[in-house]
PDB file of all heavy atoms in Angstrom:
ATOM      1  N   ALA A 569      -4.577  -5.181  28.599  1.00  0.00           N
ATOM      2  CA  ALA A 569      -4.933  -6.509  28.135  1.00  0.00           C
ATOM      3  C   ALA A 569      -3.730  -7.156  27.497  1.00  0.00           C
ATOM      4  O   ALA A 569      -2.795  -6.481  27.055  1.00  0.00           O
ATOM      5  CB  ALA A 569      -6.099  -6.425  27.128  1.00  0.00           C
ATOM      6  N   PRO A 570      -3.717  -8.498  27.392  1.00  0.00           N
ATOM      7  CA  PRO A 570      -2.605  -9.177  26.719  1.00  0.00           C
ATOM      8  C   PRO A 570      -2.523  -8.799  25.252  1.00  0.00           C
ATOM      9  O   PRO A 570      -3.573  -8.542  24.632  1.00  0.00           O
ATOM     10  CB  PRO A 570      -2.948 -10.670  26.902  1.00  0.00           C
ATOM     11  CG  PRO A 570      -3.940 -10.727  28.003  1.00  0.00           C
ATOM     12  CD  PRO A 570      -4.709  -9.449  27.951  1.00  0.00           C
ATOM     13  N   PRO A 571      -1.341  -8.767  24.657  1.00  0.00           N
ATOM     14  CA  PRO A 571      -1.198  -8.386  23.258  1.00  0.00           C
ATOM     15  C   PRO A 571      -2.005  -9.234  22.309  1.00  0.00           C
ATOM     16  O   PRO A 571      -2.618  -8.716  21.355  1.00  0.00           O
ATOM     17  CB  PRO A 571       0.302  -8.512  22.992  1.00  0.00           C
ATOM     18  CG  PRO A 571       0.928  -8.298  24.299  1.00  0.00           C
ATOM     19  CD  PRO A 571      -0.005  -8.924  25.309  1.00  0.00           C
ATOM     20  N   HIS A 572      -2.048 -10.541  22.508  1.00  0.00           N
ATOM     21  CA  HIS A 572      -2.770 -11.400  21.579  1.00  0.00           C
ATOM     22  C   HIS A 572      -4.250 -11.089  21.570  1.00  0.00           C
ATOM     23  O   HIS A 572      -4.869 -10.933  20.495  1.00  0.00           O
ATOM     24  CB  HIS A 572      -2.560 -12.878  21.929  1.00  0.00           C
ATOM     25  CG  HIS A 572      -3.298 -13.835  21.030  1.00  0.00           C
ATOM     26  ND1 HIS A 572      -2.930 -13.996  19.693  1.00  0.00           N
ATOM     27  CD2 HIS A 572      -4.377 -14.609  21.241  1.00  0.00           C
ATOM     28  CE1 HIS A 572      -3.758 -14.879  19.128  1.00  0.00           C
ATOM     29  NE2 HIS A 572      -4.653 -15.271  20.049  1.00  0.00           N
ATOM     30  N   ALA A 573      -4.850 -10.950  22.749  1.00  0.00           N
ATOM     31  CA  ALA A 573      -6.290 -10.625  22.823  1.00  0.00           C
ATOM     32  C   ALA A 573      -6.527  -9.232  22.253  1.00  0.00           C
ATOM     33  O   ALA A 573      -7.547  -8.978  21.588  1.00  0.00           O
ATOM     34  CB  ALA A 573      -6.757 -10.698  24.268  1.00  0.00           C
ATOM     35  N   THR A 574      -5.593  -8.304  22.483  1.00  0.00           N
ATOM     36  CA  THR A 574      -5.743  -6.951  21.952  1.00  0.00           C
ATOM     37  C   THR A 574      -5.708  -6.968  20.430  1.00  0.00           C
ATOM     38  O   THR A 574      -6.504  -6.255  19.772  1.00  0.00           O
ATOM     39  CB  THR A 574      -4.614  -6.049  22.488  1.00  0.00           C
ATOM     40  OG1 THR A 574      -4.676  -6.027  23.904  1.00  0.00           O
ATOM     41  CG2 THR A 574      -4.735  -4.657  21.956  1.00  0.00           C
ATOM     42  N   GLU A 575      -4.789  -7.737  19.849  1.00  0.00           N
ATOM     43  CA  GLU A 575      -4.712  -7.821  18.385  1.00  0.00           C
ATOM     44  C   GLU A 575      -6.030  -8.331  17.796  1.00  0.00           C
ATOM     45  O   GLU A 575      -6.457  -7.831  16.734  1.00  0.00           O
ATOM     46  CB  GLU A 575      -3.547  -8.705  17.972  1.00  0.00           C
ATOM     47  CG  GLU A 575      -3.327  -8.717  16.466  1.00  0.00           C
ATOM     48  CD  GLU A 575      -2.129  -9.535  16.056  1.00  0.00           C
ATOM     49  OE1 GLU A 575      -1.742 -10.442  16.836  1.00  0.00           O
ATOM     50  OE2 GLU A 575      -1.565  -9.282  14.979  1.00  0.00           O
ATOM     51  N   GLN A 576      -6.650  -9.298  18.443  1.00  0.00           N
ATOM     52  CA  GLN A 576      -7.929  -9.806  17.928  1.00  0.00           C
ATOM     53  C   GLN A 576      -9.002  -8.685  17.907  1.00  0.00           C
ATOM     54  O   GLN A 576      -9.792  -8.600  16.959  1.00  0.00           O
ATOM     55  CB  GLN A 576      -8.375 -10.988  18.777  1.00  0.00           C
ATOM     56  CG  GLN A 576      -7.543 -12.237  18.596  1.00  0.00           C
ATOM     57  CD  GLN A 576      -8.042 -13.404  19.430  1.00  0.00           C
ATOM     58  OE1 GLN A 576      -8.508 -13.229  20.560  1.00  0.00           O
ATOM     59  NE2 GLN A 576      -8.006 -14.590  18.872  1.00  0.00           N
ATOM     60  N   ILE A 577      -9.009  -7.871  18.969  1.00  0.00           N
ATOM     61  CA  ILE A 577      -9.978  -6.783  19.005  1.00  0.00           C
ATOM     62  C   ILE A 577      -9.661  -5.765  17.906  1.00  0.00           C
ATOM     63  O   ILE A 577     -10.557  -5.256  17.232  1.00  0.00           O
ATOM     64  CB  ILE A 577      -9.971  -6.111  20.391  1.00  0.00           C
ATOM     65  CG1 ILE A 577     -10.481  -7.088  21.458  1.00  0.00           C
ATOM     66  CG2 ILE A 577     -10.817  -4.841  20.386  1.00  0.00           C
ATOM     67  CD1 ILE A 577     -10.403  -6.559  22.876  1.00  0.00           C
ATOM     68  N   LEU A 578      -8.363  -5.422  17.753  1.00  0.00           N
ATOM     69  CA  LEU A 578      -7.985  -4.479  16.691  1.00  0.00           C
ATOM     70  C   LEU A 578      -8.412  -4.966  15.326  1.00  0.00           C
ATOM     71  O   LEU A 578      -8.951  -4.212  14.510  1.00  0.00           O
ATOM     72  CB  LEU A 578      -6.477  -4.219  16.743  1.00  0.00           C
ATOM     73  CG  LEU A 578      -5.910  -3.524  17.962  1.00  0.00           C
ATOM     74  CD1 LEU A 578      -4.393  -3.451  17.896  1.00  0.00           C
ATOM     75  CD2 LEU A 578      -6.490  -2.138  18.105  1.00  0.00           C
ATOM     76  N   GLU A 579      -8.159  -6.232  15.051  1.00  0.00           N
ATOM     77  CA  GLU A 579      -8.514  -6.779  13.747  1.00  0.00           C
ATOM     78  C   GLU A 579     -10.052  -6.774  13.554  1.00  0.00           C
ATOM     79  O   GLU A 579     -10.520  -6.571  12.432  1.00  0.00           O
ATOM     80  CB  GLU A 579      -7.980  -8.192  13.598  1.00  0.00           C
ATOM     81  CG  GLU A 579      -6.452  -8.269  13.482  1.00  0.00           C
ATOM     82  CD  GLU A 579      -5.950  -7.600  12.224  1.00  0.00           C
ATOM     83  OE1 GLU A 579      -6.623  -7.645  11.177  1.00  0.00           O
ATOM     84  OE2 GLU A 579      -4.858  -6.990  12.282  1.00  0.00           O
ATOM     85  N   SER A 580     -10.790  -6.988  14.625  1.00  0.00           N
ATOM     86  CA  SER A 580     -12.255  -6.938  14.494  1.00  0.00           C
ATOM     87  C   SER A 580     -12.736  -5.532  14.191  1.00  0.00           C
ATOM     88  O   SER A 580     -13.702  -5.329  13.436  1.00  0.00           O
ATOM     89  CB  SER A 580     -12.921  -7.458  15.767  1.00  0.00           C
ATOM     90  OG  SER A 580     -12.764  -6.541  16.856  1.00  0.00           O
ATOM     91  N   LEU A 581     -12.021  -4.521  14.718  1.00  0.00           N
ATOM     92  CA  LEU A 581     -12.388  -3.134  14.416  1.00  0.00           C
ATOM     93  C   LEU A 581     -11.982  -2.776  12.988  1.00  0.00           C
ATOM     94  O   LEU A 581     -12.631  -1.951  12.348  1.00  0.00           O
ATOM     95  CB  LEU A 581     -11.708  -2.185  15.409  1.00  0.00           C
ATOM     96  CG  LEU A 581     -12.241  -2.246  16.846  1.00  0.00           C
ATOM     97  CD1 LEU A 581     -11.430  -1.366  17.746  1.00  0.00           C
ATOM     98  CD2 LEU A 581     -13.716  -1.861  16.906  1.00  0.00           C
ATOM     99  N   VAL A 582     -10.889  -3.372  12.503  1.00  0.00           N
ATOM    100  CA  VAL A 582     -10.528  -3.221  11.078  1.00  0.00           C
ATOM    101  C   VAL A 582     -11.633  -3.807  10.196  1.00  0.00           C
ATOM    102  O   VAL A 582     -12.063  -3.187   9.209  1.00  0.00           O
ATOM    103  CB  VAL A 582      -9.170  -3.899  10.759  1.00  0.00           C
ATOM    104  CG1 VAL A 582      -8.900  -3.910   9.263  1.00  0.00           C
ATOM    105  CG2 VAL A 582      -8.045  -3.160  11.473  1.00  0.00           C
TER     106      VAL A 582
END
Side-chain angles (χ1 to χ4, degrees):
H572 179 68
T574 301
E575 185 176 24
Q576 290 181 322
I577 294 175
L578 293 175
E579 290 296 326
S580 71
L581 291 174
V582 171

